[in-house]
mmCIF file of all heavy atoms in Angstrom:
data_model
loop_
_atom_site.group_PDB
_atom_site.id
_atom_site.type_symbol
_atom_site.label_atom_id
_atom_site.label_comp_id
_atom_site.label_asym_id
_atom_site.label_seq_id
_atom_site.Cartn_x
_atom_site.Cartn_y
_atom_site.Cartn_z
ATOM 1 N N ILE G 9 -0.272 -0.655 -4.439
ATOM 2 C CA ILE G 9 -0.349 -2.112 -4.309
ATOM 3 C C ILE G 9 -1.038 -2.486 -2.995
ATOM 4 O O ILE G 9 -0.682 -1.968 -1.930
ATOM 5 C CB ILE G 9 1.069 -2.743 -4.323
ATOM 6 C CG1 ILE G 9 1.763 -2.458 -5.655
ATOM 7 C CG2 ILE G 9 0.998 -4.242 -4.054
ATOM 8 C CD1 ILE G 9 3.147 -3.089 -5.765
ATOM 9 N N ASN G 10 -1.999 -3.371 -3.087
ATOM 10 C CA ASN G 10 -2.668 -3.918 -1.900
ATOM 11 C C ASN G 10 -2.488 -5.430 -1.854
ATOM 12 O O ASN G 10 -2.725 -6.122 -2.843
ATOM 13 C CB ASN G 10 -4.160 -3.576 -1.930
ATOM 14 C CG ASN G 10 -4.414 -2.162 -1.437
ATOM 15 O OD1 ASN G 10 -4.126 -1.825 -0.291
ATOM 16 N ND2 ASN G 10 -4.951 -1.316 -2.314
ATOM 17 N N GLY G 11 -2.121 -5.915 -0.686
ATOM 18 C CA GLY G 11 -1.855 -7.335 -0.500
ATOM 19 C C GLY G 11 -3.089 -8.136 -0.107
ATOM 20 O O GLY G 11 -4.228 -7.690 -0.275
ATOM 21 N N PRO G 12 -2.852 -9.330 0.446
ATOM 22 C CA PRO G 12 -3.916 -10.309 0.666
ATOM 23 C C PRO G 12 -5.031 -9.845 1.597
ATOM 24 O O PRO G 12 -4.783 -9.166 2.596
ATOM 25 C CB PRO G 12 -3.176 -11.507 1.285
ATOM 26 C CG PRO G 12 -1.893 -10.954 1.797
ATOM 27 C CD PRO G 12 -1.543 -9.819 0.881
ATOM 28 N N ASN G 13 -6.233 -10.237 1.222
ATOM 29 C CA ASN G 13 -7.468 -10.019 2.010
ATOM 30 C C ASN G 13 -7.970 -8.585 1.993
ATOM 31 O O ASN G 13 -9.030 -8.300 2.535
ATOM 32 C CB ASN G 13 -7.292 -10.495 3.464
ATOM 33 C CG ASN G 13 -6.946 -11.969 3.534
ATOM 34 O OD1 ASN G 13 -7.667 -12.784 2.973
ATOM 35 N ND2 ASN G 13 -5.852 -12.313 4.171
ATOM 36 N N LEU G 14 -7.215 -7.682 1.360
ATOM 37 C CA LEU G 14 -7.710 -6.299 1.303
ATOM 38 C C LEU G 14 -8.867 -6.175 0.308
ATOM 39 O O LEU G 14 -9.667 -5.243 0.400
ATOM 40 C CB LEU G 14 -6.570 -5.328 0.997
ATOM 41 C CG LEU G 14 -5.571 -5.216 2.167
ATOM 42 C CD1 LEU G 14 -4.322 -4.474 1.763
ATOM 43 C CD2 LEU G 14 -6.210 -4.553 3.384
ATOM 44 N N ASN G 15 -8.975 -7.147 -0.606
ATOM 45 C CA ASN G 15 -10.156 -7.184 -1.491
ATOM 46 C C ASN G 15 -11.428 -7.506 -0.702
ATOM 47 O O ASN G 15 -12.530 -7.329 -1.200
ATOM 48 C CB ASN G 15 -9.964 -8.230 -2.607
ATOM 49 C CG ASN G 15 -9.652 -9.610 -2.058
ATOM 50 O OD1 ASN G 15 -8.856 -9.757 -1.141
ATOM 51 N ND2 ASN G 15 -10.277 -10.631 -2.609
ATOM 52 N N MET G 16 -11.256 -7.940 0.554
ATOM 53 C CA MET G 16 -12.407 -8.283 1.417
ATOM 54 C C MET G 16 -12.809 -7.127 2.334
ATOM 55 O O MET G 16 -13.611 -7.317 3.256
ATOM 56 C CB MET G 16 -12.068 -9.514 2.271
ATOM 57 C CG MET G 16 -11.823 -10.778 1.489
ATOM 58 S SD MET G 16 -13.334 -11.425 0.760
ATOM 59 C CE MET G 16 -14.050 -12.219 2.204
ATOM 60 N N LEU G 17 -12.228 -5.964 2.110
ATOM 61 C CA LEU G 17 -12.597 -4.806 2.943
ATOM 62 C C LEU G 17 -14.101 -4.587 2.874
ATOM 63 O O LEU G 17 -14.716 -4.735 1.818
ATOM 64 C CB LEU G 17 -11.852 -3.547 2.462
ATOM 65 C CG LEU G 17 -10.355 -3.497 2.807
ATOM 66 C CD1 LEU G 17 -9.673 -2.357 2.046
ATOM 67 C CD2 LEU G 17 -10.126 -3.362 4.303
ATOM 68 N N GLY G 18 -14.678 -4.215 3.999
ATOM 69 C CA GLY G 18 -16.131 -4.051 4.076
ATOM 70 C C GLY G 18 -16.798 -5.304 4.621
ATOM 71 O O GLY G 18 -17.865 -5.243 5.213
ATOM 72 N N ILE G 19 -16.121 -6.447 4.413
ATOM 73 C CA ILE G 19 -16.632 -7.738 4.890
ATOM 74 C C ILE G 19 -15.761 -8.220 6.056
ATOM 75 O O ILE G 19 -16.265 -8.645 7.087
ATOM 76 C CB ILE G 19 -16.601 -8.795 3.752
ATOM 77 C CG1 ILE G 19 -17.493 -8.344 2.584
ATOM 78 C CG2 ILE G 19 -17.018 -10.169 4.264
ATOM 79 C CD1 ILE G 19 -17.240 -9.103 1.303
ATOM 80 N N ARG G 20 -14.441 -8.100 5.875
ATOM 81 C CA ARG G 20 -13.513 -8.648 6.875
ATOM 82 C C ARG G 20 -13.430 -7.724 8.105
ATOM 83 O O ARG G 20 -13.250 -6.513 7.972
ATOM 84 C CB ARG G 20 -12.120 -8.882 6.273
ATOM 85 C CG ARG G 20 -11.311 -7.608 6.084
ATOM 86 C CD ARG G 20 -9.933 -7.849 5.492
ATOM 87 N NE ARG G 20 -9.001 -8.468 6.407
ATOM 88 C CZ ARG G 20 -7.684 -8.222 6.384
ATOM 89 N NH1 ARG G 20 -7.158 -7.378 5.502
ATOM 90 N NH2 ARG G 20 -6.902 -8.827 7.229
ATOM 91 N N GLU G 21 -13.545 -8.295 9.257
ATOM 92 C CA GLU G 21 -13.314 -7.604 10.538
ATOM 93 C C GLU G 21 -13.654 -6.105 10.497
ATOM 94 O O GLU G 21 -12.765 -5.264 10.684
ATOM 95 C CB GLU G 21 -11.855 -7.789 10.947
ATOM 96 C CG GLU G 21 -11.462 -9.255 11.090
ATOM 97 C CD GLU G 21 -10.007 -9.426 11.490
ATOM 98 O OE1 GLU G 21 -9.747 -9.411 12.702
ATOM 99 O OE2 GLU G 21 -9.151 -9.552 10.602
ATOM 100 N N PRO G 22 -14.941 -5.781 10.311
ATOM 101 C CA PRO G 22 -15.306 -4.359 10.197
ATOM 102 C C PRO G 22 -14.966 -3.533 11.441
ATOM 103 O O PRO G 22 -14.759 -2.324 11.331
ATOM 104 C CB PRO G 22 -16.823 -4.389 9.935
ATOM 105 C CG PRO G 22 -17.268 -5.769 10.255
ATOM 106 C CD PRO G 22 -16.093 -6.673 10.113
ATOM 107 N N GLY G 23 -14.869 -4.215 12.591
ATOM 108 C CA GLY G 23 -14.488 -3.499 13.817
ATOM 109 C C GLY G 23 -13.065 -2.967 13.746
ATOM 110 O O GLY G 23 -12.704 -2.019 14.443
ATOM 111 N N ILE G 24 -12.239 -3.587 12.896
ATOM 112 C CA ILE G 24 -10.834 -3.157 12.756
ATOM 113 C C ILE G 24 -10.650 -2.312 11.496
ATOM 114 O O ILE G 24 -10.002 -1.266 11.514
ATOM 115 C CB ILE G 24 -9.894 -4.390 12.698
ATOM 116 C CG1 ILE G 24 -9.935 -5.133 14.036
ATOM 117 C CG2 ILE G 24 -8.458 -3.974 12.353
ATOM 118 C CD1 ILE G 24 -9.157 -6.437 14.050
ATOM 119 N N TYR G 25 -11.243 -2.784 10.392
ATOM 120 C CA TYR G 25 -10.961 -2.141 9.092
ATOM 121 C C TYR G 25 -12.087 -1.238 8.593
ATOM 122 O O TYR G 25 -11.933 -0.581 7.568
ATOM 123 C CB TYR G 25 -10.645 -3.215 8.042
ATOM 124 C CG TYR G 25 -9.439 -4.055 8.415
ATOM 125 C CD1 TYR G 25 -9.568 -5.389 8.785
ATOM 126 C CD2 TYR G 25 -8.167 -3.493 8.422
ATOM 127 C CE1 TYR G 25 -8.466 -6.146 9.155
ATOM 128 C CE2 TYR G 25 -7.053 -4.236 8.788
ATOM 129 C CZ TYR G 25 -7.210 -5.570 9.148
ATOM 130 O OH TYR G 25 -6.118 -6.302 9.514
ATOM 131 N N GLY G 26 -13.223 -1.226 9.316
ATOM 132 C CA GLY G 26 -14.333 -0.366 8.907
ATOM 133 C C GLY G 26 -15.283 -1.063 7.952
ATOM 134 O O GLY G 26 -15.058 -2.214 7.549
ATOM 135 N N LYS G 27 -16.340 -0.355 7.612
ATOM 136 C CA LYS G 27 -17.395 -0.952 6.774
ATOM 137 C C LYS G 27 -17.261 -0.583 5.306
ATOM 138 O O LYS G 27 -17.994 -1.095 4.461
ATOM 139 C CB LYS G 27 -18.767 -0.517 7.295
ATOM 140 C CG LYS G 27 -19.145 -1.247 8.584
ATOM 141 C CD LYS G 27 -20.545 -0.895 9.051
ATOM 142 C CE LYS G 27 -20.864 -1.657 10.331
ATOM 143 N NZ LYS G 27 -21.967 -1.070 11.084
#
Side-chain angles (χ1 to χ4, degrees):
I9 298 182
N10 279 298
N13 301 306
L14 291 169
N15 55 317
M16 296 289 281
L17 286 169
I19 299 164
R20 76 180 288 212
E21 302 180 87
I24 295 174
Y25 300 110
K27 285 184 180 161

